[in-house]
Amino acid sequence: MKLSARAVQVQQQRMSQQQIMSLKLLAMGSLDLRDEIYGKAAENPALEIIGDSLERGTKTARESHSRFSDNTRYGSASAAGELASDNFQAALESHVDDRETLQEHLERQFNSMRHAPEEEALGLRLIHNLDVNGFHLLAPVSLLDKNNPLHTPAFLQECMEKIRALDPVGTCCSGTEESLFVQAQLRGDASDAVLFILDGHLDFLNPPQSAKVLKKIETFFQDRAVLAFTGEKESALLKRAQKEPFTEADIDAAISYIRTLEPYPARNFSSSEAHYISPDVYVERIPQTEEDEKNGLVEAGGYSFKLTLARESLPKIGISKNYAALAESEEKNAGERQKTEKRFVLDAIRDAKVFIESVQFREATIARACAEIVRRQARFFAEGPRYLLPLRQKDIAEAIGVHEATVSRMASGKYVQCDQGLFEIGYFFTNAVGSEGSGGDSGTNSKESVKYEIAQILQAHKDDKKPLSDQRLADALAEKGIKVARRTVAKYRAELHINSSYER
């Protein structure tokens, strides 16, 4: 059988070096880009750091001074000196968190005690196996050496108990519930009711109402009493309950006691990594004047805003004058070595230009995208989170003529500082929540605006004898033209870190 030949045309789109570099830099935050710029300048001699405001800020500004009879020096700072002072202050305020880490704190205490070599080695492994909350990362039993006969479960338990008794009390546990139980045991003044609740029955406290908790405990004891076999501990608890049952006062006192314990014992210590948040864009509301309109500021909804890119954390870059001169020079009768050097210079300059243009593309994209966000969320920037409207990344991409993935990279890890506070750019992209009536510019409300309304309603009813339930919250929102289901209200309330009506 003879096959007919067909011409197949395949269209492939390949990204240039500059496009790849541009997208890479676009996804970076200011601090990461700063490191990238210095790294690129170190490897490419044609790329020159022209200036760096943060570097200037760490140097002492010059001052003109005169000496009086009391040997006191007086002087006035210039505009450059004031700028240097402001930059230096910013550097101080963004200093790395140099508090002692949990591992350093525990290790110092542990090493001050006498231990056998095997105990010391295992103890240090346990300490460095703790997360930022002070709880195990890996299962402690996995740290035992199977080939060492001394490494038994009892030996492991003994080492963990020594670490748990160190300051802060209650680390080296599997989680919050075990940590609370350990803290209560070590304090030595916990009642039987406290120890029973924390020994695997913390869920009985949901909701933390004495009568309901007592009923759950009584039901538990009744169920265990009819079982054919019970553990030694459970048998003791059953006998204790039969001889002297818990009272509502016992449970009420237990709840109060448990609230004095620390669920996350390591919260006051530094984590091993420091994370900085630095604004990438500043948005300032200004009076609308004819002069402002000529400056190309963002205007929307009767408001006027000034957008400023945060360039102070980024060094200024350019092409090295020496390399530019070498590239333009013409040498007659140049040898092979001179030709090779000339090619190196030209390649270095070309790479430097690609990098500089990629940085400029990043700035332009962020500026255009944020300007469009401000236009669409003008009422938010003027009046607050209550007026945040639904917005998709696709909407911004279409408005500024780029792909949606480009907007996604632009928003990643970048922040906007405005009158309302510091927000991640992704905060302004929010889904729509249905509404009734004609309220709102688009007939819908954003998730954040609904959460804001929930917080405001709860604040207005905080003194009510009977806290608002989620259903009553949903009804109150409906009166405002916002129609959401009860379970959606419960979800948003939890995201606001507000307890349920049972716990308020």
Side-chain angles (χ1 to χ4, degrees):
M1 182 173 64
K2 186 176 181 182
L3 298 176
S4 59
R6 294 189 303 170
V8 179
Q9 183 176 4
V10 179
Q11 183 176 4
Q12 292 183 338
Q13 183 176 2
R14 295 186 177 181
M15 299 177 67
S16 66
Q17 178 186 0
Q18 183 170 347
Q19 289 175 319
I20 295 173
M21 177 65 71
S22 298
L23 293 177
K24 175 185 176 182
L25 300 186
L26 182 62
M28 291 182 177
S30 296
L31 296 177
D32 290 334
L33 179 58
R34 177 181 174 84
D35 294 338
E36 182 72 15
I37 289 174
Y38 271 97
K40 195 71 176 177
E43 69 180 40
N44 186 349
L47 184 66
E48 185 177 50
I49 304 294
I50 299 175
D52 189 343
S53 61
L54 291 186
E55 288 294 325
R56 290 200 307 270
T58 60
K59 298 177 182 179
T60 304
R62 291 183 178 179
E63 63 175 10
S64 58
H65 62 271
S66 59
R67 185 179 296 274
F68 291 82
S69 59
D70 60 355
N71 292 328
T72 302
R73 294 186 178 186
Y74 298 87
S76 60
S78 63
E82 291 180 356
L83 176 60
S85 176
D86 291 341
N87 290 331
F88 182 59
Q89 182 65 28
L92 289 177
E93 292 176 353
S94 61
H95 193 273
V96 65
D97 182 2
D98 57 1
R99 292 176 298 168
E100 190 176 35
T101 66
L102 175 67
Q103 280 72 21
E104 291 171 343
H105 188 65
L106 292 176
E107 189 172 339
R108 179 166 49 80
Q109 297 175 74
F110 189 74
N111 287 336
S112 67
M113 304 163 62
R114 288 188 176 183
H115 305 288
E118 293 291 340
E119 187 178 48
E120 181 178 355
L122 181 57
L124 293 177
R125 294 185 69 184
L126 285 167
I127 289 173
H128 288 277
N129 185 49
L130 303 179
D131 63 15
V132 293
N133 294 318
F135 305 144
H136 302 305
L137 290 169
L138 302 175
V141 70
S142 66
L143 304 179
L144 294 175
D145 184 357
K146 296 180 180 179
N147 298 321
N148 192 330
L150 297 177
H151 281 212
T152 63
F155 179 66
L156 174 64
Q157 185 65 27
E158 182 181 345
C159 288
M160 288 195 298
E161 288 176 356
K162 289 188 176 183
I163 296 173
R164 289 171 178 175
L166 300 176
D167 176 64
V169 175
T171 61
C172 203
C173 294
S174 59
T176 295
E177 187 166 356
E178 185 181 13
S179 177
L180 295 175
F181 181 72
V182 168
Q183 292 174 49
Q185 279 188 318
L186 291 174
R187 281 174 58 166
D189 57 352
S191 65
D192 289 340
V194 170
L195 296 176
F196 172 79
I197 292 172
L198 294 180
D199 191 20
H201 308 108
L202 193 61
D203 58 317
F204 287 179
L205 296 184
N206 188 18
Q209 298 176 358
S210 302
K212 293 184 178 181
V213 174
L214 181 60
K215 186 171 181 60
K216 291 179 182 180
I217 293 176
E218 291 173 346
T219 301
F220 171 81
F221 282 139
Q222 291 170 4
D223 293 342
R224 300 303 298 172
V226 300
L227 294 178
F229 301 99
T230 59
E232 182 179 348
K233 183 192 298 185
E234 290 180 337
S235 297
L237 288 173
L238 285 171
K239 292 177 181 178
R240 160 71 176 83
Q242 292 171 355
K243 182 179 179 181
E244 190 179 347
F246 297 138
T247 64
E248 191 169 331
D250 293 333
I251 303 303
D252 192 53
I255 293 174
S256 298
Y257 183 95
I258 291 172
R259 282 174 174 158
T260 66
L261 303 176
E262 176 56 70
Y264 303 104
R267 74 166 79 208
N268 293 324
F269 291 86
S270 171
S271 59
S272 57
E273 297 181 0
H275 300 278
Y276 299 95
I277 294 181
S278 176
D280 295 89
V281 180
Y282 294 95
V283 178
E284 179 186 3
R285 183 183 174 187
I286 59 176
Q288 190 172 7
T289 65
E290 293 184 2
E291 182 180 356
D292 292 333
E293 292 176 3
K294 296 177 182 179
N295 291 333
L297 303 178
V298 178
E299 301 174 17
Y303 305 106
S304 186
F305 303 94
K306 180 180 179 180
L307 257 70
T308 306
L309 291 179
R311 294 188 175 94
E312 67 272 8
S313 63
L314 299 178
K316 295 180 181 180
I317 54 178
I319 302 297
S320 168
K321 293 182 180 180
N322 293 334
Y323 268 65
L326 288 173
E328 295 176 358
S329 64
E330 295 183 5
E331 298 182 5
K332 297 181 179 180
N333 303 321
E336 189 63 29
R337 179 179 177 181
Q338 286 75 15
K339 292 180 180 179
T340 302
E341 291 177 350
K342 186 71 173 287
R343 284 194 297 268
F344 173 81
V345 169
L346 293 175
D347 289 343
I349 291 177
R350 181 170 57 252
D351 289 344
K353 287 182 177 179
V354 167
F355 186 81
I356 293 172
E357 290 172 0
S358 298
V359 172
Q360 293 171 344
F361 170 80
R362 175 186 181 274
E363 290 189 349
T365 303
I366 293 175
R368 291 169 57 206
C370 288
E372 188 63 29
I373 289 173
V374 171
R375 290 190 185 96
R376 293 175 182 251
Q377 302 287 10
R379 200 171 179 189
F380 165 89
F381 287 100
E383 302 182 42
R386 182 177 186 178
Y387 300 101
L388 188 69
L389 296 176
L391 183 64
R392 301 175 301 171
Q393 292 182 352
K394 182 179 180 181
D395 300 330
I396 301 300
E398 292 176 350
I400 65 176
V402 298
H403 194 274
E404 185 176 349
T406 301
V407 175
S408 177
R409 288 186 175 93
M410 180 279 307
S412 177
K414 299 177 187 65
Y415 297 85
V416 172
Q417 179 74 56
C418 62
D419 294 340
Q420 316 304 330
L422 182 67
F423 297 88
E424 191 171 7
I425 292 180
Y427 172 86
F428 300 102
F429 300 111
T430 178
N431 297 327
V433 177
S435 64
E436 296 178 322
S438 58
D441 295 340
S442 62
T444 58
N445 295 274
S446 70
K447 173 181 175 181
E448 294 301 324
S449 66
V450 174
K451 289 166 67 175
Y452 178 86
E453 291 292 347
I454 290 174
Q456 292 299 306
I457 293 171
L458 290 175
Q459 178 65 22
H461 292 81
K462 66 178 182 178
D463 296 327
D464 292 359
K465 293 182 178 180
K466 186 177 181 181
L468 291 180
S469 64
D470 292 335
Q471 183 57 56
R472 290 181 63 192
L473 274 173
D475 296 339
L477 289 171
E479 293 176 359
K480 293 176 174 286
I482 305 172
K483 186 178 180 181
V484 291
R486 180 199 60 78
R487 59 181 176 272
T488 304
V489 171
K491 175 184 175 183
Y492 291 173
R493 173 184 53 71
E495 290 179 2
L496 290 168
H497 304 290
I498 299 175
N499 293 331
S500 65
S501 59
Y502 292 110
E503 300 170 322
R504 293 200 303 271

